[in-house]
Amino acid sequence: MFQLKKRVIDTKIIFTRFAYLSLLTASYCALADGNENLNTKNNFVYDSLKSIQIQCFSLNEDSGNNHSNDTTDLKKMLSSQNTEDRIHALSQLATDSPIDSGFVQEILQQGLTDQDARVRAQAIYALSKQNCNNADLILQQALQDGDLSVRMMALDSLGSNTDEINLLKHALEDEEQAIRELAQVKLATISAQNNNNSKQ
Amino acid sequence: MKMLFKKNVFITILNGLLLGYCGLSFAHNQSGSFTTGLVSAVDYYVVSCSDDGNGAPAYLEAQVKDMTANSAKVNILVQKGTTGCSTKACAQFSIDTIDSDTGYSPLIKLSQASGSYNLYVSHTGSGTDSYDVSVHCKTATNLHTGTAVSAKQQQ
């Protein structure tokens, strides 16, 4: 009888401890997932990006060569469940490394419609570093994204042609201070460059 | 009693797995991101170096990995102490200039023994950069010793 009572008490203690620790874990997970939910909340732009078909061209002569090892690794990373892996795969396209343009097109298309805003943001920046058509249109769409990281990356990717300057000017009215700040810095840089060019 | 001990071990393992699942790490790597996107954003941590049985801390070493490829580059500044800084550096800086790879910035060492080191993470431009700081307290014989990181400010 005593043994049975002791077992019941032991089991109660175990359950209480487990429930307490699980609650702590669940609270932490809920906090961690909060950002993810925010990212997926306001993504009407994400749907419009799905409908845009991008087409990319070689950045340099070497890109036509066989880089199956690179592409296999990148494909593996991009299909990973780990967000950091997908971001890293796309960050490698932010350089002028010789990767087949068809493959670049394929993974950018996939990255631009990723559920995670950080992945979409990295895809936006990579797109701006590659030679793809419709890039301006996609950047314009990305500037409407509900997620700050996507808008920041789109703004960071803008160059200095007339359309892009207009987008930068428009960004001066954004509700986020960081967006307005970056737009101001970029416009000031472009203005200084133009002044230097006109002096020379 | 033996049964209770076994059950406790089981629960500890189970909860460890749950914590691992949602990304909590007890390794000496501190991940973070500049959520405000502001150029002036500074994340501030305090790293406590203590003797965990491996020996008294002699120095702290740290480096940072910028995990977001964009115009802004992430850097760290580690500081401890205010006296004799000309002979033994009180502050060191390191920047990850290549953010499209998995490499870290150059390793910096600050030989200021045990105690609290200030670790500041900032970036060179606007952007919601993510980063990972690797930080370790070590003994004079380069053995890893007690290292605890505490987040004080997140921007």
Side-chain angles (χ1 to χ4, degrees):
Chain A
M1 193 60 186
F2 174 73
Q3 283 285 341
L4 187 68
K5 263 190 175 177
K6 196 174 174 296
R7 276 206 158 181
V8 170
I9 293 167
D10 284 356
T11 313
K12 275 184 182 172
I13 293 169
I14 299 289
F15 270 107
T16 312
R17 285 184 184 175
F18 182 71
Y20 178 67
L21 284 169
S22 298
L23 195 69
L24 278 176
T25 310
S27 309
Y28 175 78
C29 285
L31 277 172
D33 286 344
N35 283 340
E36 298 268 330
N37 292 337
L38 270 176
N39 291 343
T40 53
K41 202 179 168 185
N42 203 357
N43 53 6
F44 60 94
V45 178
Y46 157 76
D47 291 329
S48 65
L49 285 177
K50 265 185 180 172
S51 61
I52 301 173
Q53 185 64 46
I54 56 168
Q55 193 181 4
C56 301
F57 308 95
S58 299
L59 275 172
N60 50 45
E61 289 171 8
D62 196 27
S63 57
N65 295 347
N66 187 12
H67 297 282
S68 56
N69 284 343
D70 294 344
T71 54
T72 307
D73 288 348
L74 285 177
K75 257 185 187 169
K76 210 181 279 180
M77 278 195 281
L78 202 68
S79 56
S80 166
Q81 292 295 311
N82 186 329
T83 305
E84 306 306 333
D85 285 345
R86 303 205 298 283
I87 291 172
H88 179 59
L90 287 158
S91 73
Q92 290 191 43
L93 297 187
T95 59
D96 57 356
S97 55
I99 299 171
D100 175 68
S101 57
F103 178 70
V104 167
Q105 188 175 305
E106 185 188 326
I107 60 174
L108 281 180
Q109 193 86 45
Q110 196 179 329
L112 287 168
T113 53
D114 196 286
Q115 290 285 349
D116 193 297
R118 290 179 302 153
V119 178
R120 296 203 302 280
Q122 195 60 87
I124 291 289
Y125 191 74
L127 172 79
S128 72
K129 298 294 172 192
Q130 296 290 331
N131 183 17
C132 305
N133 66 5
N134 283 333
D136 287 351
L137 186 62
I138 292 170
L139 289 181
Q140 201 173 338
Q141 290 288 324
L143 282 169
Q144 306 299 317
D145 198 291
D147 190 276
L148 175 66
S149 61
V150 178
R151 297 210 303 283
M152 290 294 286
M153 211 58 113
L155 206 60
D156 194 1
S157 308
L158 289 176
S160 56
N161 70 36
T162 313
D163 287 343
E164 289 169 320
I165 288 172
N166 284 335
L167 288 174
L168 285 170
K169 283 179 180 168
H170 186 68
L172 291 173
E173 290 158 23
D174 195 283
E175 60 186 18
E176 286 284 348
Q177 189 193 338
I179 297 281
R180 297 195 302 271
E181 183 186 86
L182 182 55
Q184 269 168 2
V185 168
K186 289 202 72 144
L187 284 168
T189 308
I190 292 166
S191 173
Q193 277 169 355
N194 289 344
N195 284 341
N196 280 343
N197 289 343
S198 61
K199 279 177 190 170
Q200 283 170 1
Chain B
M1 198 64 193
K2 201 176 174 184
M3 190 67 182
L4 186 66
F5 174 74
K6 277 183 182 172
K7 282 177 183 172
N8 274 330
V9 168
F10 173 71
I11 286 171
T12 309
I13 292 169
L14 195 65
N15 278 282
L17 288 172
L18 284 169
L19 284 169
Y21 170 75
C22 59
L24 191 66
S25 169
F26 293 109
H28 299 125
N29 280 66
Q30 182 64 51
S31 295
S33 63
F34 299 110
T35 49
T36 62
L38 294 167
V39 66
S40 57
V42 179
D43 285 358
Y44 169 43
Y45 303 91
V46 171
V47 186
S48 300
C49 290
S50 60
D51 184 352
D52 65 354
N54 279 346
Y59 65 92
L60 175 139
E61 64 177 29
Q63 55 191 155
V64 67
K65 176 168 68 173
D66 186 340
M67 295 164 71
T68 307
N70 61 357
S71 302
K73 309 298 172 209
V74 177
N75 57 68
I76 52 168
L77 176 69
V78 183
Q79 181 273 330
K80 184 176 182 288
T82 52
T83 51
C85 299
S86 53
T87 48
K88 261 186 189 176
C90 295
Q92 296 264 24
F93 174 87
S94 179
I95 183 167
D96 186 11
T97 52
I98 305 168
D99 52 16
S100 57
D101 65 357
T102 54
Y104 282 80
S105 66
L107 189 70
I108 50 171
K109 289 182 181 181
L110 207 60
S111 300
Q112 290 288 342
S114 62
S116 297
Y117 289 72
N118 293 313
L119 167 66
Y120 305 95
V121 189
S122 57
H123 56 171
T124 59
S126 305
T128 54
D129 298 78
S130 295
Y131 61 82
D132 182 70
V133 180
S134 170
V135 60
H136 305 282
C137 301
K138 292 196 170 175
T139 66
T141 52
N142 303 319
L143 280 176
H144 192 280
T145 194
T147 308
V149 184
S150 166
K152 299 292 178 191
Q153 175 178 295
Q154 301 285 288
Q155 294 182 329

